[in-house]
């Protein structure tokens, strides 16, 4: 059967993608950011996932105020990088495991999660930056080493789903994956965050103490972490900090007890805290 063996939590700061695309990662400002992903890339080479289930949020490329799905599952054969105003990122087309994606869609809906099925969708930096930092430089002529199933979560337009809802969705995704009869190694990504605010009087807010506590809870007490209310994310992590609810989808799909194999935290990167964690199931 297919198995989710590990989870990755990672920020998807758009400037990180720009730094990679413009070949400035060796500049003093960016070196500490990318240093923290060196071990991650080695881990990916060793782990060799067949499929990445990637939870992210769209930034008004696939969706806008006219259509706001809470959970949108990509079921197309492939997903082109989106043009976010300066042309698509020069990265490979994202290719899906359609059979597994369709199986997950059916399982989740029958498990009473109302999933929007996307048979056509472009993907923006929320999805491509996590792939880039975990795999390294790739060109449009390359192929990502793993197939990718995208799940877009609304954390842009209120109301966003609660951490608890996301945590329980992770459990349902695990159930769906484990009921698929193909032998597949699946790694699940939760992306977004960490603390940051992009507008108004608190623009530039970063709360490193809160972020690090969140990472601790993710490893040690994920149920408690999943109960963090929206107002706490807003107060402590800024208006965009609510993106971290997507990390609960990843954590809910793992064992209750996990091994933390790597952690990276750095501030700032484009006025944003960069957080990263790799968790493995103990039985993996």
């Amino acid at each position: 059967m297919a198995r989710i063996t590990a989870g990755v939590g990672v920020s998807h700061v758009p400037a990180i993608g720009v730094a990679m695309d413009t070949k400035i990662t060796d500049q003093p400002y960016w070196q500490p950011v990318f240093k923290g992903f060196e071990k991650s890339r080695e881990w990916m080479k060793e782990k060799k996932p067949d499929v990445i289930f990637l939870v992210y949020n769209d930034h008004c490329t696939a969706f806008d105020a006219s259509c706001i799905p809470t959970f949108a599952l990509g079921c197309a054969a492939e997903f082109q990088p989106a043009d976010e105003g300066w042309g698509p990122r020069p990265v490979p087309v994202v290719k899906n495991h359609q059979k597994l994606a369709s199986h997950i869609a059916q399982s989740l809906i029958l498990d009473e999660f109302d999933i929007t099925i996307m048979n056509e969708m472009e993907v923006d930096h929320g999805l491509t930056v996590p792939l880039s930092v975990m795999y390294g430089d790739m060109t449009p002529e390359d192929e990502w080493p793993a197939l990718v199933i995208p799940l877009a979560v609304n954390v842009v337009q209120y109301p966003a789903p609660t951490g608890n809802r996301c945590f329980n969705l992770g459990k349902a995704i695990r159930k769906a994956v484990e009921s698929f009869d193909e032998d597949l190694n699946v790694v699940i990504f939760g992306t977004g965050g960490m603390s940051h605010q992009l507008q108004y009087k608190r623009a530039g807010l970063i709360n490193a103490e809160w972020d690090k506590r969140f990472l601790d809870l993710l490893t040690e007490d994920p149920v408690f972490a999943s109960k963090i209310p929206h107002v706490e994310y807003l107060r402590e992590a800024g208006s965009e900090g609510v993106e971290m609810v997507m990390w609960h989808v990843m954590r809910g799909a793992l064992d209750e007890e996990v091994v933390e194999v790597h952690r990276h935290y750095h501030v700032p990167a484009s006025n944003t805290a960069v957080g990263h964690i790799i968790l493995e199931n103990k039985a993996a």
Side-chain angles (χ1 to χ4, degrees):
M1 69 177 185
R3 296 180 304 122
I4 294 176
T5 58
V8 172
V10 62
S11 299
H12 59 219
V13 183
I16 290 177
V18 174
M20 295 185 69
D21 299 343
T22 57
K23 313 299 182 186
I24 60 171
T25 58
D26 59 347
Q27 291 185 358
Y29 181 86
W30 288 108
Q31 282 180 349
V33 175
F34 290 97
K35 183 73 175 175
F37 291 102
E38 290 178 359
K39 180 174 180 179
S40 308
R41 293 175 183 178
E42 291 301 315
W43 179 85
M44 288 293 282
K45 290 178 183 177
E46 295 172 4
K47 196 71 178 176
K48 293 181 180 176
D50 301 301
V51 179
I52 293 171
F53 190 97
L54 202 150
V55 185
Y56 76 109
N57 67 283
D58 176 75
H59 299 80
C60 297
T61 55
F63 310 109
D64 58 27
S66 66
C67 179
I68 309 170
T70 302
F71 301 115
L73 183 68
C75 291
E78 61 182 36
F79 309 94
Q80 296 285 338
D83 184 345
E84 299 181 64
W86 49 87
R89 286 195 63 215
V91 294
V93 171
V94 174
K95 296 185 178 180
N96 196 0
H97 194 303
Q98 276 191 293
K99 288 185 178 180
L100 178 56
S102 297
H103 174 83
I104 291 172
Q106 174 175 290
S107 181
L108 292 180
I109 290 170
L110 295 180
D111 225 358
E112 301 183 352
F113 280 90
D114 297 325
I115 301 296
T116 300
I117 295 172
M118 299 299 297
N119 291 318
E120 183 178 340
M121 181 171 68
E122 292 184 341
V123 291
D124 65 18
H125 71 269
L127 183 139
T128 63
V129 167
L131 291 175
S132 292
V133 295
M134 295 300 289
Y135 278 120
D137 291 319
M138 305 281 285
T139 72
E141 290 72 37
D142 297 322
E143 289 193 2
W144 295 113
L147 300 175
V148 179
I149 300 175
L151 177 72
V153 178
N154 170 43
V155 290
V156 174
Q157 181 70 44
Y158 197 81
T162 64
N164 183 61
R165 182 66 167 167
C166 289
F167 188 71
N168 287 326
L169 176 58
K171 292 182 178 180
I173 291 167
R174 175 176 179 159
K175 176 183 172 183
V177 169
E178 291 182 346
S179 65
F180 191 68
D181 60 8
E182 186 177 344
D183 186 18
L184 295 171
N185 175 19
V186 181
V187 172
I188 184 167
F189 283 28
T191 75
M194 296 192 88
S195 63
H196 62 302
Q197 180 152 324
L198 304 180
Q199 70 287 307
Y200 204 52
K201 294 180 180 179
R202 295 201 307 166
L205 179 148
I206 292 175
N207 188 341
E209 182 179 350
W210 194 90
D211 287 342
K212 292 173 183 178
R213 176 175 173 269
F214 180 86
L215 292 173
D216 290 339
L217 289 173
L218 207 65
T219 301
E220 300 165 5
D221 196 348
V223 174
F224 182 87
S226 72
K227 307 294 186 184
I228 297 171
H230 284 157
V231 68
E232 183 173 340
Y233 287 105
L234 178 64
R235 182 182 63 242
E236 301 295 339
S239 54
E240 280 71 44
V242 74
E243 289 181 349
M244 281 184 277
V245 298
M246 296 185 290
W247 295 41
H248 298 304
V249 181
M250 175 272 288
R251 188 61 182 90
L254 303 179
D255 290 349
E256 290 184 14
E257 293 187 9
V258 294
V259 177
E260 182 180 316
V261 298
H262 181 54
R263 182 188 296 202
H264 171 47
Y265 185 81
H266 177 78
V267 294
S270 184
N271 293 324
T272 301
V274 174
H276 173 43
I277 197 167
I278 298 175
L279 305 173
E280 289 185 357
N281 289 330
K282 283 191 173 182

